Amino acid sequence: MSKEIIKLDNIDVTFRQKKREITAVKDVSIHINQGDIYGIVGYSGAGKSTLVRVINLLQVPTAGTITIDDDVIFDQGKVTLSPAQLREKRRDIGMIFQHFNLMAQMTAAENVAFALKHSGLSKEEKAEKVNRLLELVGLADRAENYPAQLSGGQKQRVAIARALANDPKILISDESTSALDPRTTKQILALLQELNEKLGLTIVLITHEMQIVKDIANRVAVMQDGRLIEEGSVLEIFSHPKEELTQDFIKTATGIDEALVKIYQQGIVQNLPENSLLVQLKYSGASTDTAIVNDLYKFYQVSSNILYGNIEILDHTPVGEMVLILSGEPGNIHRALEAVTEAHVEVTILKGEQPC
Ligand SMILES: Nc1ncnc2c1ncn2[C@@H]1O[C@H](COP(=O)(O)OP(=O)(O)O)[C@@H](O)[C@H]1O
Ligand SMILES: [Mg+2]
């Protein structure tokens, strides 16, 4: 079993302003395994940025316990490290942001080298390391360019190289692709995934887009109004979301909602023929290997008219969704649906009388 490299327990963060108090994070506990790509999703204002700033104590919480790599760094309302120890600890945690935060008057190489200021490396060692880092993020040929001469994706690569300068164990990405177009987003996500695999880097990925979690994360937490409302493996959450907000997020990432709108407009669905049923099937892992549609006909003489079908790979496991019209003898449809349910396919009847 993997070790828990980040442990946040019962974290509260309250901001006191003149007249009012805002509790941005309420009793949140999250444990993140070494090597995870851990997604934290939620709408703007949910408390995501505040929560991740707690990990390196950029934001000191009001209450709770923070344990990083087996060291308790905050407990019972106090930072438990000396300032020197805290500086050391922070080197283990790199961070990247939506707006890159590069220094405009410095070249790409200088921006990366800046993070090595207190590394104790010689000038030559630093130069060598900067080259290696820029190569790692695919920007070796841009070392002498200034941020203004780089595209958004290239700027984020410089920021990633800088965040990795002190060989951190953890990389926090706070909306790091939110300012990028979809194609560049994919490229940056691919780079993060590669760094996770190559360096064993633990990545905490904050985003308001479930699509991003779906693309590269293995676990996910959903936040709303400062609280963690749901947490689990990407596979669990995508196949069995419990909370309404989670379901909303997932719909935006799978496209089934849009498909359903079109499906309901079709004549055949509006006037569903006799002995027919509109159903949605969801299946994952091994169930995607079975020829469901084929078996429905072969064993139950139930014919299927497929209106929508989609298979995604989530954390290396296939997950499928289908919307179909089943037609056949009511008794046969009933038995067929029992059989697919038994094969761990989730059945939802969208329209029509369920035969019994
Ligand atoms: N420094 C601060 N002072 C006061 N309120 C803050 C501060 N930082 C964040 N907040 C408030 O805390 C809540 C959560 O903000 P944030 O963590 O930035 O959410 P998210 O990253 O999910 O958009 C918001 O209501 C925000 O206005
Ligand atoms: Mg934020």
Side-chain angles (χ1 to χ4, degrees):
M1 217 189 97
S2 254
K3 140 184 177 159
E4 289 177 339
I5 190 167
I6 301 171
K7 289 194 265 186
L8 304 179
D9 289 295
N10 309 105
I11 300 293
D12 282 339
V13 181
T14 301
F15 294 110
R16 274 168 238 285
Q17 289 177 329
K18 275 175 202 151
K19 287 236 172 81
R20 49 191 205 123
E21 271 192 358
I22 301 170
T23 303
V25 175
K26 297 171 196 161
D27 195 26
V28 170
S29 300
I30 289 184
H31 289 197
I32 299 178
N33 281 326
Q34 189 152 28
D36 272 355
I37 300 185
Y38 194 102
I40 300 179
V41 287
Y43 289 119
S44 174
K48 307 179 299 293
S49 295
T50 306
L51 181 69
V52 289
R53 286 162 55 83
V54 161
I55 295 173
N56 54 8
L57 284 175
L58 283 179
Q59 174 64 53
V60 177
T62 318
T65 307
I66 310 168
T67 313
I68 305 294
D69 207 7
D70 293 332
D71 295 319
V72 175
I73 67 169
F74 182 91
D75 192 29
Q76 306 198 343
K78 285 199 198 67
V79 177
T80 49
L81 297 183
S82 68
Q85 286 172 321
L86 182 56
R87 271 200 300 279
E88 185 78 4
K89 203 55 165 176
R90 281 184 174 152
R91 287 188 190 193
D92 283 343
I93 306 167
M95 240 180 146
I96 53 174
F97 307 91
Q98 179 174 3
H99 297 297
F100 326 123
N101 301 1
L102 298 178
M103 281 176 278
Q105 74 285 9
M106 290 186 182
T107 64
E110 287 164 351
N111 265 286
V112 179
F114 192 73
L116 293 168
K117 219 173 168 180
H118 303 288
S119 62
L121 297 179
S122 72
K123 205 175 154 196
E124 292 72 29
E125 286 168 331
K126 272 187 207 165
E128 202 260 322
K129 185 147 197 195
V130 168
N131 281 340
R132 208 156 19 95
L133 287 161
L134 286 175
E135 209 158 289
L136 183 66
V137 299
L139 268 195
D141 55 336
R142 295 297 195 140
E144 299 314 318
N145 282 174
Y146 289 89
Q149 300 170 308
L150 299 173
S151 70
Q154 289 167 335
K155 279 188 255 200
Q156 195 56 285
R157 284 172 194 269
V158 176
I160 292 170
R162 181 184 56 185
L164 298 179
N166 292 297
D167 307 307
K169 297 174 182 162
I170 298 164
L171 179 69
I172 296 171
S173 160
D174 190 351
E175 303 276 3
S176 70
T177 59
S178 297
L180 305 174
D181 61 66
R183 187 161 156 258
T184 312
T185 294
K186 289 266 179 212
Q187 292 166 348
I188 294 292
L189 293 178
L191 173 61
L192 293 179
Q193 194 161 32
E194 184 190 325
L195 295 170
N196 165 260
E197 283 166 12
K198 222 154 124 181
L199 311 175
L201 191 66
T202 303
I203 299 180
V204 185
L205 192 75
I206 308 256
T207 175
H208 62 277
E209 286 176 80
M210 205 55 142
Q211 179 69 41
I212 285 171
V213 167
K214 194 173 81 179
D215 283 351
I216 67 165
N218 63 313
R219 285 192 82 80
V220 57
V222 183
M223 283 188 78
Q224 182 176 32
D225 296 331
R227 294 189 186 279
L228 191 153
I229 60 164
E230 193 158 357
E231 199 267 353
S233 74
V234 164
L235 196 58
E236 276 162 24
I237 297 284
F238 270 83
S239 45
H240 299 103
K242 293 192 195 80
E243 301 293 327
E244 206 178 315
L245 178 70
T246 315
Q247 291 165 4
D248 281 353
F249 269 116
I250 285 169
K251 281 177 193 155
T252 62
T254 56
I256 183 134
D257 248 19
E258 269 172 56
L260 279 176
V261 169
K262 292 198 183 114
I263 286 169
Y264 281 119
Q265 287 165 350
Q266 291 184 28
I268 186 164
V269 172
Q270 290 190 346
N271 303 303
L272 210 56
E274 224 179 312
N275 291 339
S276 296
L277 212 52
L278 180 70
V279 296
Q280 181 179 349
L281 304 182
K282 279 211 263 184
Y283 44 100
S284 65
S287 353
T288 50
D289 297 342
T290 48
I292 296 173
V293 169
N294 191 43
D295 288 357
L296 287 176
Y297 189 75
K298 192 164 147 197
F299 298 117
Y300 305 97
Q301 292 78 51
V302 171
S303 60
S304 308
N305 177 359
I306 302 178
L307 303 179
Y308 173 89
N310 183 35
I311 291 191
E312 317 242 20
I313 307 296
L314 293 176
D315 194 18
H316 312 289
T317 306
V319 175
E321 246 174 332
M322 250 196 287
V323 176
L324 14 97
I325 295 176
L326 301 180
S327 308
E329 286 292 320
N332 285 354
I333 293 185
H334 175 68
R335 277 187 289 280
L337 290 181
E338 267 185 354
V340 291
T341 305
E342 230 156 81
H344 304 290
V345 174
E346 206 177 303
V347 179
T348 311
I349 297 180
L350 299 176
K351 193 170 180 192
E353 286 295 316
Q354 173 159 29
C356 44

